[in-house]
Coordinates of all heavy atoms in Angstrom, one line a residue:
M1 N -7.6 -11.6 2.5 CA -6.4 -10.8 2.4 C -5.4 -11.5 1.4 O -5.3 -12.6 1.4 CB -5.7 -10.6 3.7 CG -4.5 -9.8 3.7 SD -3.6 -9.5 5.2 CE -2.9 -11.2 5.4
N2 N -4.9 -10.7 0.5 CA -3.9 -11.1 -0.5 C -2.7 -11.6 0.3 O -2.2 -11.0 1.2 CB -3.5 -10.0 -1.4 CG -2.7 -10.5 -2.4 OD1 -1.7 -11.4 -2.2 ND2 -2.8 -10.0 -3.7
N3 N -2.2 -13.0 0.1 CA -1.1 -13.4 0.9 C 0.3 -12.9 0.5 O 1.3 -13.2 1.1 CB -1.0 -14.9 0.9 CG -1.0 -15.5 -0.6 OD1 -0.6 -14.7 -1.5 ND2 -1.2 -16.8 -0.7
N4 N 0.3 -11.9 -0.5 CA 1.5 -11.2 -0.8 C 1.8 -10.2 0.1 O 2.8 -9.6 0.1 CB 1.5 -10.8 -2.3 CG 1.5 -11.9 -3.3 OD1 2.0 -13.0 -3.1 ND2 0.8 -11.6 -4.4
W5 N 0.9 -9.8 1.0 CA 1.1 -8.7 2.0 C 1.6 -9.5 3.2 O 1.1 -10.4 3.6 CB -0.1 -8.1 2.3 CG -0.6 -7.1 1.3 CD1 -1.2 -7.4 0.2 CD2 -0.4 -5.7 1.2 NE1 -1.5 -6.3 -0.6 CE2 -1.0 -5.2 0.0 CE3 0.1 -4.7 2.2 CZ2 -0.9 -3.9 -0.3 CZ3 0.1 -3.5 1.8 CH2 -0.5 -2.9 0.6
N6 N 2.6 -8.9 3.8 CA 3.4 -9.5 5.0 C 2.9 -8.8 6.2 O 2.8 -7.6 6.3 CB 4.8 -9.4 4.9 CG 5.3 -10.2 3.8 OD1 5.1 -11.2 3.6 ND2 6.1 -9.5 2.9
K7 N 2.6 -9.6 7.2 CA 2.3 -9.0 8.6 C 3.7 -8.6 9.2 O 4.5 -9.6 9.5 CB 1.5 -9.9 9.5 CG 1.1 -9.3 10.7 CD 0.1 -10.2 11.5 CE -0.4 -9.5 12.7 NZ 0.0 -10.3 13.9
K8 N 3.8 -7.4 9.6 CA 5.1 -6.9 10.2 C 4.7 -6.2 11.4 O 4.3 -4.9 11.4 CB 5.9 -6.0 9.3 CG 6.4 -6.8 8.2 CD 7.9 -6.1 7.8 CE 8.4 -7.1 6.7 NZ 9.7 -6.6 6.2
G9 N 4.6 -6.9 12.6 CA 4.2 -6.3 13.9 C 2.8 -6.1 13.7 O 2.0 -7.0 13.4
D10 N 2.4 -4.8 13.9 CA 0.8 -4.5 13.8 C 0.6 -3.9 12.5 O -0.3 -2.9 12.4 CB 0.4 -3.7 14.9 CG 0.4 -4.4 16.3 OD1 0.1 -5.7 16.2 OD2 0.6 -3.8 17.3
K11 N 1.3 -4.1 11.4 CA 1.0 -3.5 10.1 C 1.0 -4.6 9.0 O 1.6 -5.6 9.2 CB 2.1 -2.6 9.8 CG 2.3 -1.4 10.7 CD 3.5 -0.4 10.2 CE 3.3 0.8 11.0 NZ 4.3 1.8 10.7
L12 N 0.3 -4.3 8.0 CA 0.5 -5.1 6.7 C 1.5 -4.3 5.9 O 1.3 -3.1 5.7 CB -1.0 -5.3 6.0 CG -2.1 -6.1 6.7 CD1 -3.2 -6.0 5.9 CD2 -1.4 -7.5 6.9
E13 N 2.3 -5.1 5.1 CA 3.4 -4.3 4.3 C 3.7 -5.1 3.1 O 3.6 -6.4 3.1 CB 4.6 -4.2 5.1 CG 5.7 -3.4 4.4 CD 6.9 -3.1 5.2 OE1 6.9 -2.3 6.1 OE2 7.9 -3.9 5.1
K14 N 3.8 -4.4 2.0 CA 4.2 -5.1 0.8 C 5.1 -4.1 -0.1 O 4.9 -2.9 -0.1 CB 3.0 -5.3 0.0 CG 3.2 -6.0 -1.3 CD 1.9 -6.4 -2.1 CE 2.0 -7.2 -3.3 NZ 0.7 -7.6 -3.8
K15 N 6.0 -4.7 -0.8 CA 6.9 -3.9 -1.6 C 6.5 -4.2 -3.2 O 6.3 -5.4 -3.6 CB 8.4 -4.4 -1.5 CG 9.3 -3.6 -2.4 CD 10.8 -3.8 -2.0 CE 11.3 -5.3 -2.5 NZ 12.8 -5.4 -2.4
F16 N 6.4 -3.1 -3.8 CA 6.1 -3.2 -5.4 C 7.3 -2.6 -6.1 O 7.9 -1.6 -5.7 CB 4.9 -2.2 -5.5 CG 3.7 -2.7 -4.8 CD1 3.4 -2.2 -3.6 CD2 2.7 -3.5 -5.4 CE1 2.3 -2.6 -2.9 CE2 1.5 -3.8 -4.8 CZ 1.3 -3.3 -3.4
V17 N 7.7 -3.3 -7.2 CA 8.8 -2.9 -7.9 C 8.3 -2.6 -9.4 O 7.7 -3.4 -9.9 CB 9.9 -4.1 -8.0 CG1 11.2 -3.6 -8.9 CG2 10.4 -4.4 -6.6
F18 N 8.9 -1.4 -9.7 CA 8.4 -0.9 -11.1 C 9.6 -0.7 -12.0 O 10.7 -0.8 -11.5 CB 7.7 0.4 -10.9 CG 6.4 0.2 -10.2 CD1 6.5 0.5 -8.8 CD2 5.3 -0.2 -10.8 CE1 5.3 0.3 -8.0 CE2 4.1 -0.3 -10.0 CZ 4.1 -0.1 -8.6
S19 N 9.3 -0.4 -13.2 CA 10.5 -0.3 -14.2 C 11.3 0.9 -14.1 O 12.4 1.0 -14.3 CB 10.0 -0.5 -15.7 OG 9.0 0.5 -16.0
D20 N 10.6 2.0 -13.5 CA 11.3 3.3 -13.4 C 10.6 4.2 -12.4 O 9.5 3.8 -11.9 CB 11.5 4.0 -14.8 CG 10.1 4.2 -15.5 OD1 9.1 4.4 -14.8 OD2 10.1 4.3 -16.7
F21 N 11.2 5.3 -12.1 CA 10.6 6.2 -11.1 C 9.3 6.8 -11.5 O 8.3 6.8 -10.8 CB 11.6 7.4 -10.9 CG 11.2 8.4 -9.9 CD1 11.2 8.2 -8.5 CD2 10.6 9.6 -10.4 CE1 10.8 9.0 -7.7 CE2 10.2 10.5 -9.4 CZ 10.2 10.3 -8.0
R22 N 9.1 7.1 -12.8 CA 7.8 7.6 -13.3 C 6.7 6.6 -12.9 O 5.6 7.0 -12.5 CB 7.9 7.9 -14.8 CG 6.7 8.6 -15.2 CD 6.9 8.9 -16.8 NE 8.0 9.8 -16.8 CZ 8.2 10.9 -17.7 NH1 7.2 11.2 -18.4 NH2 9.2 11.5 -17.6
E23 N 6.9 5.4 -13.3 CA 5.8 4.4 -13.1 C 5.7 4.2 -11.6 O 4.5 4.1 -11.2 CB 6.4 3.0 -13.6 CG 5.2 2.1 -13.7 CD 5.8 0.7 -14.4 OE1 6.2 0.8 -15.5 OE2 5.6 -0.4 -13.9
A24 N 6.6 4.2 -10.8 CA 6.6 4.1 -9.3 C 5.7 5.4 -8.8 O 4.7 5.2 -8.0 CB 7.9 4.1 -8.6
L25 N 6.0 6.5 -9.2 CA 5.3 7.7 -8.7 C 3.8 7.7 -9.2 O 3.0 8.1 -8.4 CB 6.0 8.9 -9.3 CG 5.5 10.3 -8.7 CD1 5.7 10.3 -7.1 CD2 6.4 11.4 -9.3
S26 N 3.6 7.1 -10.4 CA 2.1 7.1 -10.9 C 1.4 6.2 -10.0 O 0.3 6.6 -9.6 CB 2.2 6.6 -12.3 OG 0.9 6.3 -12.7
F27 N 2.1 5.1 -9.6 CA 1.4 4.3 -8.7 C 1.1 4.9 -7.3 O 0.0 4.7 -6.9 CB 2.2 2.9 -8.6 CG 1.7 1.9 -7.6 CD1 0.5 1.2 -7.7 CD2 2.4 1.7 -6.3 CE1 0.0 0.3 -6.9 CE2 1.9 0.8 -5.4 CZ 0.7 0.1 -5.7
V28 N 2.0 5.5 -6.8 CA 1.9 6.2 -5.5 C 0.8 7.2 -5.5 O -0.1 7.3 -4.7 CB 3.2 6.8 -5.1 CG1 3.0 7.8 -4.0 CG2 4.2 5.8 -4.6
N29 N 0.6 7.9 -6.6 CA -0.5 8.9 -6.8 C -1.9 8.2 -6.9 O -2.7 8.6 -6.2 CB -0.3 9.7 -8.0 CG 0.8 10.7 -7.9 OD1 1.0 11.3 -6.7 ND2 1.5 11.0 -8.9
K30 N -1.9 7.0 -7.5 CA -3.2 6.2 -7.5 C -3.6 5.7 -6.2 O -4.8 5.7 -5.7 CB -3.0 5.0 -8.6 CG -3.0 5.5 -9.9 CD -2.8 4.3 -10.9 CE -2.7 4.8 -12.3 NZ -2.3 3.5 -13.2
V31 N -2.5 5.2 -5.4 CA -2.7 4.8 -4.0 C -3.2 6.0 -3.2 O -4.2 5.8 -2.4 CB -1.5 4.1 -3.4 CG1 -1.7 3.9 -1.9 CG2 -1.1 2.9 -4.1
G32 N -2.7 7.1 -3.4 CA -3.0 8.3 -2.7 C -4.6 8.7 -2.9 O -5.4 9.0 -2.0
E33 N -5.0 8.5 -4.2 CA -6.4 8.9 -4.5 C -7.3 7.8 -3.8 O -8.4 8.2 -3.3 CB -6.5 8.8 -6.1 CG -5.9 9.9 -6.8 CD -6.1 10.0 -8.2 OE1 -7.0 9.4 -8.8 OE2 -5.1 10.6 -8.9
L34 N -6.9 6.6 -4.0 CA -7.7 5.5 -3.3 C -7.8 5.7 -1.7 O -8.8 5.5 -1.2 CB -7.0 4.1 -3.6 CG -7.7 2.9 -3.0 CD1 -9.1 2.6 -3.4 CD2 -6.7 1.7 -3.2
A35 N -6.7 6.0 -1.2 CA -6.7 6.2 0.4 C -7.6 7.3 0.6 O -8.3 7.4 1.7 CB -5.2 6.6 0.7
E36 N -7.6 8.5 -0.1 CA -8.5 9.6 0.1 C -10.0 9.1 -0.1 O -10.8 9.4 0.8 CB -8.2 10.7 -0.9 CG -7.2 11.5 -0.5 CD -7.2 12.3 0.9 OE1 -8.2 13.1 1.0 OE2 -6.4 12.0 1.8
Q37 N -10.3 8.4 -1.0 CA -11.7 7.8 -1.1 C -12.1 6.9 -0.1 O -13.2 7.0 0.5 CB -11.8 6.9 -2.4 CG -11.7 7.7 -3.7 CD -11.6 6.8 -4.9 OE1 -11.7 5.7 -4.8 NE2 -11.3 7.4 -6.2
L38 N -11.3 6.1 0.5 CA -11.5 5.3 1.7 C -11.3 5.8 3.0 O -11.7 5.4 4.0 CB -10.7 4.0 1.6 CG -10.8 3.0 0.4 CD1 -9.7 1.9 0.4 CD2 -12.2 2.6 0.3
D39 N -10.7 7.0 3.0 CA -10.4 7.8 4.2 C -9.5 6.9 5.2 O -9.8 6.8 6.3 CB -11.6 8.3 5.0 CG -11.3 9.3 6.1 OD1 -10.2 10.0 6.0 OD2 -12.0 9.3 7.2
H40 N -8.6 6.2 4.7 CA -7.7 5.3 5.3 C -6.3 5.4 4.7 O -6.2 5.0 3.5 CB -8.2 3.9 5.2 CG -7.5 2.9 6.2 ND1 -7.6 3.1 7.6 CD2 -6.8 1.8 6.0 CE1 -6.8 2.2 8.2 NE2 -6.4 1.3 7.2
H41 N -5.4 6.0 5.3 CA -4.1 6.4 4.6 C -3.0 5.5 5.1 O -2.6 5.5 6.3 CB -3.9 7.9 5.0 CG -5.0 8.8 4.7 ND1 -6.0 9.0 5.6 CD2 -5.4 9.3 3.5 CE1 -6.9 9.8 4.9 NE2 -6.6 9.9 3.6
P42 N -2.3 4.9 4.2 CA -1.2 4.0 4.6 C 0.2 4.8 4.6 O 0.2 6.0 4.2 CB -1.1 3.1 3.3 CG -1.5 3.9 2.2 CD -2.6 4.8 2.7
D43 N 1.2 4.3 5.2 CA 2.5 5.0 5.0 C 3.1 4.4 3.6 O 3.0 3.2 3.2 CB 3.5 4.4 6.1 CG 3.1 4.9 7.4 OD1 2.5 6.0 7.4 OD2 3.3 4.3 8.5
I44 N 3.7 5.3 2.9 CA 4.2 5.0 1.5 C 5.7 5.5 1.4 O 5.9 6.7 1.7 CB 3.4 5.7 0.4 CG1 1.9 5.2 0.5 CG2 3.9 5.4 -1.0 CD1 1.0 6.1 -0.3
C45 N 6.6 4.6 1.0 CA 8.0 5.0 0.8 C 8.5 4.5 -0.6 O 8.2 3.4 -1.0 CB 8.8 4.3 1.9 SG 10.6 4.6 1.8
I46 N 9.1 5.5 -1.3 CA 9.7 5.2 -2.5 C 11.3 5.0 -2.2 O 11.9 5.8 -1.7 CB 9.6 6.2 -3.7 CG1 8.1 6.5 -4.1 CG2 10.4 5.9 -4.9 CD1 7.8 7.6 -4.9
K47 N 11.7 3.8 -2.6 CA 13.1 3.4 -2.4 C 13.8 3.1 -3.7 O 13.2 2.6 -4.5 CB 13.3 2.3 -1.3 CG 12.7 2.6 0.0 CD 12.5 1.2 0.8 CE 13.9 0.7 1.0 NZ 13.9 -0.5 1.8
N48 N 15.0 3.5 -3.7 CA 15.9 3.0 -4.9 C 15.2 3.3 -6.3 O 15.2 2.7 -7.2 CB 16.0 1.5 -4.9 CG 17.0 1.1 -3.7 OD1 17.9 1.9 -3.2 ND2 16.7 0.0 -3.2
Y49 N 14.5 4.5 -6.2 CA 13.8 5.1 -7.3 C 12.7 4.4 -8.0 O 12.0 5.0 -8.9 CB 14.9 5.7 -8.4 CG 15.4 4.7 -9.3 CD1 14.7 4.3 -10.5 CD2 16.5 4.0 -9.1 CE1 15.2 3.4 -11.5 CE2 17.1 3.0 -9.9 CZ 16.3 2.7 -11.1 OH 16.8 1.8 -12.0
K50 N 12.6 3.1 -7.7 CA 11.6 2.3 -8.5 C 10.9 1.3 -7.6 O 10.1 0.6 -8.0 CB 12.2 1.6 -9.8 CG 13.3 0.6 -9.5 CD 13.6 0.0 -10.7 CE 14.6 -1.1 -10.4 NZ 15.1 -1.9 -11.6
E51 N 11.1 1.3 -6.3 CA 10.6 0.4 -5.4 C 9.6 1.1 -4.4 O 10.0 2.3 -4.0 CB 11.5 -0.2 -4.5 CG 12.5 -1.2 -5.2 CD 13.6 -1.7 -4.4 OE1 13.6 -1.5 -3.2 OE2 14.5 -2.5 -4.9
V52 N 8.4 0.8 -4.3 CA 7.4 1.4 -3.5 C 7.1 0.5 -2.3 O 6.6 -0.6 -2.5 CB 6.1 1.9 -4.2 CG1 5.1 2.3 -3.3 CG2 6.5 2.8 -5.3
V53 N 7.3 0.8 -1.1 CA 6.9 0.1 0.1 C 5.7 0.7 0.7 O 5.6 1.9 1.0 CB 8.1 -0.1 1.1 CG1 7.6 -0.9 2.2 CG2 9.4 -0.7 0.4
I54 N 4.6 -0.1 1.0 CA 3.5 0.4 1.5 C 3.2 -0.4 2.7 O 3.2 -1.6 2.8 CB 2.2 0.3 0.5 CG1 2.5 1.2 -0.7 CG2 1.0 0.8 1.3 CD1 1.4 1.1 -1.7
S55 N 2.8 0.4 3.8 CA 2.4 -0.3 5.1 C 1.1 0.4 5.7 O 0.9 1.4 5.5 CB 3.6 -0.4 6.1 OG 3.9 0.9 6.5
T56 N 0.2 -0.5 6.2 CA -1.0 0.1 6.7 C -1.4 -0.6 8.1 O -1.1 -1.7 8.3 CB -2.1 -0.2 5.6 OG1 -3.4 0.3 6.2 CG2 -2.3 -1.6 5.3
T57 N -1.9 0.2 8.9 CA -2.4 -0.1 10.3 C -3.5 0.9 10.5 O -3.7 1.9 10.0 CB -1.3 -0.1 11.3 OG1 -1.9 -0.5 12.4 CG2 -0.8 1.4 11.5
T58 N -4.4 0.5 11.4 CA -5.5 1.4 11.8 C -5.2 2.2 13.1 O -5.2 1.5 14.2 CB -6.8 0.6 11.8 OG1 -7.0 -0.1 10.6 CG2 -8.0 1.5 12.2
H59 N -4.9 3.4 12.9 CA -4.4 4.1 14.1 C -5.5 4.4 15.1 O -5.3 4.2 16.3 CB -3.9 5.6 13.7 CG -2.8 5.6 12.7 ND1 -1.5 5.0 13.0 CD2 -2.8 5.8 11.4 CE1 -0.8 5.1 12.0 NE2 -1.6 5.4 11.0
S60 N -6.7 4.5 14.5 CA -7.9 4.7 15.5 C -8.3 3.4 16.3 O -9.1 3.4 17.2 CB -9.1 5.2 14.8 OG -9.6 4.2 13.8
A61 N -7.7 2.3 15.9 CA -8.0 0.9 16.6 C -6.7 0.7 17.5 O -6.6 -0.5 17.9 CB -8.3 -0.1 15.6
G62 N -5.8 1.6 17.8 CA -4.7 1.4 18.5 C -3.6 0.8 17.9 O -2.8 -0.1 18.2
N63 N -3.4 1.1 16.6 CA -2.4 0.7 15.6 C -2.5 -0.8 15.5 O -1.4 -1.6 15.7 CB -1.0 1.2 16.1 CG -1.0 2.5 16.0 OD1 -1.3 3.2 15.1 ND2 -0.3 3.2 17.0
K64 N -3.6 -1.4 15.1 CA -3.9 -2.8 15.0 C -4.3 -3.0 13.4 O -4.9 -2.1 12.9 CB -4.9 -3.3 15.8 CG -4.6 -3.1 17.4 CD -3.6 -4.1 17.8 CE -3.4 -3.9 19.2 NZ -2.3 -4.4 19.7
I65 N -4.1 -4.2 13.0 CA -4.5 -4.5 11.7 C -6.1 -4.8 11.8 O -6.5 -5.6 12.7 CB -3.9 -5.8 11.1 CG1 -2.4 -5.4 10.9 CG2 -4.6 -6.2 9.8 CD1 -1.5 -6.6 10.7
T66 N -6.9 -4.0 11.0 CA -8.3 -4.2 11.1 C -8.8 -4.6 9.6 O -8.1 -4.8 8.7 CB -9.1 -3.1 11.6 OG1 -8.9 -2.0 10.5 CG2 -8.5 -2.5 12.9
E67 N -10.1 -4.8 9.4 CA -10.8 -5.0 8.2 C -10.4 -3.8 7.1 O -10.3 -4.1 6.0 CB -12.2 -5.2 8.3 CG -12.6 -6.6 8.8 CD -12.1 -7.7 8.0 OE1 -12.1 -7.8 6.7 OE2 -11.5 -8.7 8.6
K68 N -10.3 -2.6 7.8 CA -9.9 -1.5 7.0 C -8.7 -1.7 6.2 O -8.4 -1.5 4.9 CB -9.8 -0.3 7.7 CG -11.2 0.3 8.0 CD -10.9 1.7 8.7 CE -12.1 2.5 8.9 NZ -11.9 3.8 9.5
D69 N -7.5 -2.3 6.8 CA -6.3 -2.5 6.3 C -6.3 -3.7 5.4 O -5.7 -3.6 4.2 CB -5.3 -2.9 7.4 CG -5.2 -1.8 8.4 OD1 -4.9 -0.6 8.0 OD2 -5.6 -1.9 9.5
K70 N -7.1 -4.7 5.6 CA -7.3 -5.8 4.7 C -7.9 -5.3 3.3 O -7.5 -5.7 2.3 CB -8.0 -7.0 5.3 CG -7.2 -7.5 6.5 CD -8.1 -8.5 7.1 CE -7.4 -9.2 8.4 NZ -8.3 -10.1 9.2
Q71 N -9.0 -4.5 3.5 CA -9.6 -4.0 2.2 C -8.8 -3.1 1.5 O -8.7 -3.2 0.3 CB -10.9 -3.3 2.7 CG -11.8 -2.8 1.5 CD -12.3 -3.9 0.7 OE1 -12.9 -4.9 1.1 NE2 -11.9 -3.9 -0.6
L72 N -8.0 -2.3 2.1 CA -7.0 -1.4 1.5 C -5.9 -2.1 0.8 O -5.7 -1.8 -0.4 CB -6.4 -0.4 2.4 CG -5.4 0.6 1.9 CD1 -6.2 1.5 0.9 CD2 -4.8 1.5 3.0
S73 N -5.4 -3.1 1.4 CA -4.4 -3.9 0.6 C -5.0 -4.6 -0.5 O -4.3 -4.6 -1.6 CB -3.8 -5.0 1.7 OG -4.7 -6.0 2.0
E74 N -6.2 -5.2 -0.5 CA -6.8 -5.7 -1.7 C -7.1 -4.7 -2.8 O -6.8 -5.0 -3.9 CB -8.1 -6.4 -1.3 CG -7.9 -7.7 -0.4 CD -9.3 -8.2 0.2 OE1 -10.2 -7.7 -0.2 OE2 -9.1 -9.2 0.9
D75 N -7.6 -3.4 -2.3 CA -7.9 -2.4 -3.4 C -6.6 -1.9 -4.1 O -6.5 -1.6 -5.2 CB -8.6 -1.3 -2.6 CG -10.0 -1.6 -2.3 OD1 -10.5 -2.8 -2.7 OD2 -10.7 -1.0 -1.5
I76 N -5.5 -1.8 -3.2 CA -4.3 -1.5 -3.7 C -3.7 -2.4 -4.9 O -3.4 -2.1 -5.9 CB -3.1 -1.3 -2.7 CG1 -3.5 0.1 -1.9 CG2 -1.7 -1.1 -3.4 CD1 -2.6 0.2 -0.6
D77 N -3.9 -3.7 -4.6 CA -3.4 -4.8 -5.5 C -4.4 -4.6 -6.8 O -3.8 -4.9 -7.9 CB -3.8 -6.2 -4.9 CG -2.5 -6.5 -3.9 OD1 -1.5 -5.9 -4.0 OD2 -2.7 -7.5 -3.1
E78 N -5.5 -4.3 -6.6 CA -6.4 -4.1 -7.8 C -6.0 -3.0 -8.8 O -6.3 -3.1 -10.0 CB -7.9 -3.9 -7.3 CG -8.7 -5.1 -6.8 CD -8.9 -6.2 -7.9 OE1 -9.3 -5.9 -8.9 OE2 -8.6 -7.4 -7.6
L79 N -5.3 -2.0 -8.2 CA -4.9 -0.8 -9.1 C -3.8 -1.4 -10.1 O -3.7 -0.8 -11.2 CB -4.1 0.1 -8.1 CG -5.0 0.9 -7.2 CD1 -4.1 1.8 -6.3 CD2 -5.9 1.7 -8.0
L80 N -3.2 -2.6 -9.9 CA -2.3 -3.0 -10.8 C -2.8 -4.0 -11.8 O -2.2 -4.7 -12.7 CB -1.0 -3.8 -10.1 CG -0.2 -2.8 -9.2 CD1 0.6 -3.5 -8.3 CD2 0.4 -1.8 -9.8
K81 N -4.1 -4.3 -11.6 CA -4.8 -5.3 -12.7 C -5.2 -4.6 -13.9 O -5.5 -3.4 -13.9 CB -5.8 -6.0 -12.0 CG -5.2 -7.0 -11.0 CD -6.3 -7.8 -10.4 CE -5.7 -8.8 -9.3 NZ -6.8 -9.6 -8.6

């Protein structure tokens, strides 16, 4: 797991900061496409027009962090490379 993701309770969470709203929204759309492919959907929040906060947990496992969350977090980070 990428150590830039923080464990907050039973979720993995990370904040991404972009130069503007358009770039943040483009990233959110890419995360949405990835989530659909993996059939694992994170919570996504756009704050202050250019900050994206993503948190993930596995609902079907009783809202615990599982390998699905670790994989999703790594795949999300790959979107920025």
Side-chain angles (χ1 to χ4, degrees):
M1 180 183 71
N2 184 323
N3 60 10
N4 292 329
W5 286 79
N6 299 308
K7 185 175 183 233
K8 293 214 173 174
D10 290 330
K11 295 181 178 187
L12 293 179
E13 184 175 285
K14 185 173 181 178
K15 180 171 75 170
F16 299 85
V17 180
F18 297 94
S19 60
D20 57 29
F21 181 75
R22 184 177 304 221
E23 192 176 302
L25 189 57
S26 175
F27 175 69
V28 167
N29 287 329
K30 289 176 187 173
V31 171
E33 290 176 24
L34 175 65
E36 281 295 300
Q37 291 172 7
L38 298 176
D39 193 30
H40 191 60
H41 305 94
D43 292 331
I44 303 171
C45 178
I46 298 176
K47 298 171 56 172
N48 299 322
Y49 80 88
K50 64 181 186 175
E51 299 174 1
V52 176
V53 178
I54 298 178
S55 62
T56 182
T57 188
T58 303
H59 303 290
S60 62
N63 294 320
K64 301 286 184 199
I65 297 170
T66 67
E67 285 304 313
K68 283 184 171 186
D69 302 296
K70 294 173 184 176
Q71 184 63 55
L72 180 61
S73 67
E74 291 173 5
D75 290 348
I76 289 170
D77 284 340
E78 285 295 315
L79 293 173
L80 296 174
K81 292 185 177 178

